[in-house]
Amino acid sequence: MRIAVVHGPNLRLLGRREPDVYGRETLTDVNSAIEEEARALGVEVEFFQSNHEGALLDFLEDASARADGFLVNPGALTHTSVALRDALLGVSRPFVEVHLSNTAGREPFRRHSYLSDVASGVVFGFGVQSYLLGLRGLVSRIPNPNE
Ligand code: DQA
């Protein structure tokens, strides 16, 4: 099983970006933790980050040929992007939406997501653990051909 992990805008700044909100781990630290969890679950992972909406859409389309599901932190595009929603629906792969911060407890504009209602699940508020819990949930939703 192969999962593609997608990080949206500004997530490459992790570690120095509002550490009180997002923690002190860098994106490299986050990806290492995901890789370790993936190894424990016996799944392959690949990573992609972009600050550009179009690049994210292109990646989803390309990666859908090889990935069984997507673990997505869409960053601010969560709250703005119909295009990202359409792309995730269009590639017909299950996905889990994750956020480091508790988006429900922040500014009102962060309470709405264009993705949550079409996601397999959503995890937010647990820092790096959101990704690890989300990965577990996503893997549990994808049928294993060997079972
Ligand atoms: C975020 C939450 C979003 O509201 C914000 O725009 C981000 C990060 C999170 O991981 O908590 O860029 O997705």
Side-chain angles (χ1 to χ4, degrees), residues 40-62:
L41 292 168
V43 301
E44 287 176 25
V45 274
E46 66 175 277
F47 300 97
F48 183 74
Q49 190 279 330
S50 181
N51 288 336
H52 303 278
E53 188 174 29
L56 292 162
L57 307 191
D58 290 346
F59 175 80
L60 289 170
E61 187 182 330
D62 293 347

Side-chain angles (χ1 to χ4, degrees), residues 13-147:
L13 292 174
L14 284 181
R16 62 193 167 104
R17 175 192 182 195
E18 299 178 78
D20 293 347
V21 178
Y22 297 117
R24 300 211 171 263
E25 290 94 347
T26 65
L27 190 60
T28 305
D29 296 333
V30 171
N31 287 345
S32 300
I34 295 169
E35 235 160 24
E36 201 175 305
E37 189 76 5
R39 219 173 296 126
L41 292 168
V43 301
E44 287 176 25
V45 274
E46 66 175 277
F47 300 97
F48 183 74
Q49 190 279 330
S50 181
N51 288 336
H52 303 278
E53 188 174 29
L56 292 162
L57 307 191
D58 290 346
F59 175 80
L60 289 170
E61 187 182 330
D62 293 347
S64 66
R66 58 181 182 272
D68 300 295
F70 291 100
L71 185 68
V72 187
N73 184 346
L77 294 175
T78 310
H79 320 297
T80 63
S81 183
V82 176
L84 186 59
R85 173 193 176 93
D86 286 350
L88 284 161
L89 284 171
V91 298
S92 299
R93 294 279 179 275
F95 77 93
V96 167
E97 174 187 343
V98 300
H99 301 281
L100 294 150
S101 64
N102 178 357
T103 47
R106 300 180 62 195
E107 301 96 321
F109 65 81
R110 291 187 206 277
R111 288 185 202 144
H112 177 258
S113 165
Y114 277 99
L115 309 177
S116 297
D117 64 309
V118 290
S120 295
V122 185
V123 185
F124 56 90
F126 294 102
V128 180
Q129 286 291 327
S130 292
Y131 285 92
L132 309 185
L133 294 165
L135 180 64
R136 279 190 176 265
L138 178 60
V139 168
S140 77
R141 283 294 171 85
I142 299 172
N144 185 339
N146 302 320
E147 281 173 7

